[in-house]
Amino acid sequence: MPRLSTVAFVALPLLVLSLAYFAQSYASPLGPAPHLGSGLGLSIAFSSLVNYAQAAMQAPFGAPQEALLGTQHPKEQVDNEDSEVTINEPRPRFTRRIVAVGDIHGDLINAGRVLQMAGVVDEDGNWSGSVDVFVQTGDIIDRGDDTVELFEWMEELREQAHGMGGVMVSLLGNHEWMNAIGDWRYVYPSEIETFGSISARQKAVTTGWLGNIWASNYTTAARLPLHNLLGPPNTDYPPAEGSVYARANAGPLSHAAFSFVHGGLAPMYPNLQPFPSAINNISSSLLHKLRSRSPQPPPHPPHAYPGLPAGTTREEARLYGGDGPLWYRGWADEDESKICARVDQVLQKTGTRRMVMGHTPNLQNIVARCGGKVLIIDTGISHAYGGALSALSIEYTLEPVKGGGWKEQEVVKALYAEQEDELLVTATRELGEGDLW
């Protein structure tokens, strides 16, 4: 009978190889691991197998293929003592479904109806697993009484999504910022009661549980790549020097991403690159200063408007200004001929194909402008407005074409709970046979 150490020496590498194959099949953005051939397994160093298994199992939402396979080429020749083995990578179909929802404004019931209608949650309000990414573009707070329940629910969904391989992207709207500043003009007295008191509410939205959530789980801008090869959510464009995503973001899939902010990305706004970290770094700095005020100024009204904190920089003030990403309405309000002449400039800078925003409500429908390059998704979901119950659906596919090459497709729809859905964009692109990364 063989000694246990001998059995382990032979069996353990094979076990790790099997686990690596399974893990990569599950996690890789481009599908299952290539068949390695019967003569290859034992010729690979044990440490390489362990490293591969760890890389595959720990692969983030957007791990590049070369990070898992250690190669940038569709074929690789592997020599051993007896033969030359050709590894042929498969060409699977890649899909991603994204749902985005605009301003909710304190209405838990209508928010639940919208998220269930769009397939984000099941009938019990839990993450369904039917979408890959859910984006909420801010203004959960104000104009309604359900602030506490809504933010608690969002955090439950975030945890559930993570456990099921999904992603939740949350943005701060101008109303979250107003509350952090101390501007309570749209806060209902009945909503204050759900916190217990004025002082309890003020603590919650600054240094307490809600302020902590905003600081840790929310940003002011987001960039969502449509394919894992371009990186996980909020991968910068242009990528930092030496980034593992630099090659893909300069290749055929460059700009295959959407931007999300609450208000809008004004063409004249100076901090569009790198996107979104230039905006989010300013945002984090300003939010920290607001939360660090001691004592916190009493809320307005009835007290005087507190304004931005001492030490606010010009960049921070502009973030909260009329042409900043929280308040800008130009894409919704200005003549379409004017905005469409400027939209490509912003898309080019941010490494995106389309921009999504809330903030400016249209109570009838989601608005697509400039051929779907501008998507405005605030339809007044809250009972405070009485608008359409809507969500934006983005379905992305990248599939191989017989004979070589790839076909890329985006299908963007407006989904409604009480009216017919509307197709907003269908875009198809043919890509060549070369490496996508």
Side-chain angles (χ1 to χ4, degrees):
M1 179 177 180
R3 294 179 59 185
L4 181 60
S5 59
T6 304
V7 173
F9 179 80
V10 174
L12 188 56
L14 295 176
L15 175 61
V16 173
L17 179 59
S18 299
L19 289 173
Y21 181 92
F22 172 81
Q24 201 271 345
S25 298
Y26 182 82
S28 171
L30 289 184
H35 180 62
L36 296 179
S38 59
L40 180 62
L42 294 179
S43 68
I44 301 177
F46 176 74
S47 60
S48 298
L49 291 173
V50 173
N51 290 339
Y52 181 90
Q54 290 176 337
M57 292 178 180
Q58 297 172 3
F61 183 78
Q65 183 77 345
E66 61 266 33
L68 298 179
L69 298 181
T71 178
Q72 297 178 343
H73 303 287
K75 293 184 179 181
E76 180 179 358
Q77 301 296 321
V78 180
D79 294 320
N80 59 27
E81 294 179 356
D82 302 319
S83 64
E84 185 179 74
V85 179
T86 299
I87 298 177
N88 294 301
E89 292 186 7
R91 288 160 47 89
R93 184 175 186 264
F94 176 90
T95 64
R96 173 164 291 166
R97 181 162 187 252
I98 303 157
V99 169
V101 171
D103 306 35
I104 294 173
H105 280 306
D107 193 330
L108 180 64
I109 292 176
N110 281 356
R113 290 183 64 191
V114 167
L115 267 63
Q116 185 177 347
M117 172 271 297
V120 177
V121 302
D122 60 23
E123 60 184 8
D124 296 319
N126 295 314
W127 185 265
S128 69
S130 298
V131 302
D132 300 300
V133 187
F134 170 53
V135 184
Q136 202 286 315
T137 58
D139 276 13
I140 293 175
I141 204 168
D142 285 350
R143 303 186 191 275
D145 292 342
D146 301 333
T147 298
V148 172
E149 291 179 281
L150 279 166
F151 279 105
E152 288 178 345
W153 184 38
M154 292 297 112
E155 293 312 298
E156 291 172 4
L157 290 179
R158 192 184 316 282
E159 184 176 351
Q160 292 171 3
H162 180 74
M164 297 176 68
V167 173
M168 186 165 166
V169 176
S170 300
L171 301 183
L172 294 170
N174 64 303
H175 280 262
E176 279 78 31
W177 280 95
M178 290 169 70
N179 278 266
I181 290 169
D183 184 351
W184 289 19
R185 284 175 291 161
Y186 301 95
V187 178
Y188 293 171
S190 52
E191 190 257 18
I192 294 175
E193 293 177 3
T194 67
F195 286 86
S197 65
I198 290 175
S199 60
R201 187 184 191 279
Q202 185 174 39
K203 180 178 180 180
V205 301
T206 53
T207 60
W209 69 272
L210 191 47
N212 291 335
I213 287 171
W214 291 347
S216 59
N217 294 337
Y218 286 69
T219 62
T220 293
R223 178 176 179 263
L224 183 56
L226 296 175
H227 197 287
N228 285 349
L229 291 172
L230 299 173
N234 290 339
T235 296
D236 266 342
Y237 185 88
E241 184 177 353
S243 168
V244 295
Y245 305 111
R247 182 176 177 183
N249 276 278
L253 294 180
S254 177
H255 290 66
F258 281 48
S259 71
F260 296 85
V261 295
H262 177 69
L265 297 172
M268 71 289 292
Y269 186 70
N271 297 300
L272 293 178
Q273 284 190 327
F275 182 79
S277 69
I279 290 173
N280 289 335
N281 289 341
I282 298 169
S283 170
S284 295
S285 175
L286 179 57
L287 187 61
H288 175 74
K289 291 175 182 178
L290 286 167
R291 300 181 70 222
S292 299
R293 292 180 297 185
S294 182
Q296 288 287 335
H300 164 75
H303 303 279
Y305 177 68
L308 296 177
T312 296
T313 67
R314 293 179 63 182
E315 286 185 328
E316 291 164 352
R318 189 156 187 178
L319 177 88
Y320 195 68
D323 68 351
L326 297 162
W327 289 96
Y328 184 67
R329 297 185 189 271
W331 300 115
D333 290 346
E334 293 184 18
D335 183 82
E336 190 155 353
S337 63
K338 292 182 179 179
I339 67 167
C340 294
R342 302 194 296 262
V343 66
D344 287 338
Q345 169 192 346
V346 176
L347 297 176
Q348 181 63 32
K349 285 184 178 180
T350 56
T352 56
R353 291 177 180 167
R354 310 184 195 283
M355 56 177 77
V356 182
M357 64 212 76
H359 187 49
T360 305
N362 181 304
L363 303 187
Q364 282 73 48
N365 53 267
I366 288 174
V367 175
R369 308 188 80 187
C370 306
K373 294 179 180 180
V374 175
L375 299 161
I376 305 161
I377 65 171
D378 180 7
T379 60
I381 287 171
S382 172
H383 67 274
Y385 287 95
L389 303 185
S390 69
L392 186 76
S393 170
I394 303 163
E395 295 182 357
Y396 175 81
T397 60
L398 180 69
E399 56 187 343
V401 176
K402 187 176 181 180
W406 301 83
K407 183 174 77 171
E408 186 187 27
Q409 185 175 61
E410 301 166 40
V411 178
V412 182
K413 296 179 181 179
L415 308 180
Y416 298 103
E418 298 173 338
Q419 61 197 63
E420 290 188 9
D421 297 345
E422 180 183 3
L423 177 63
L424 302 176
V425 178
T426 300
T428 302
R429 299 172 184 85
E430 300 290 338
L431 305 179
E433 177 63 26
D435 286 352
L436 297 180
W437 61 93

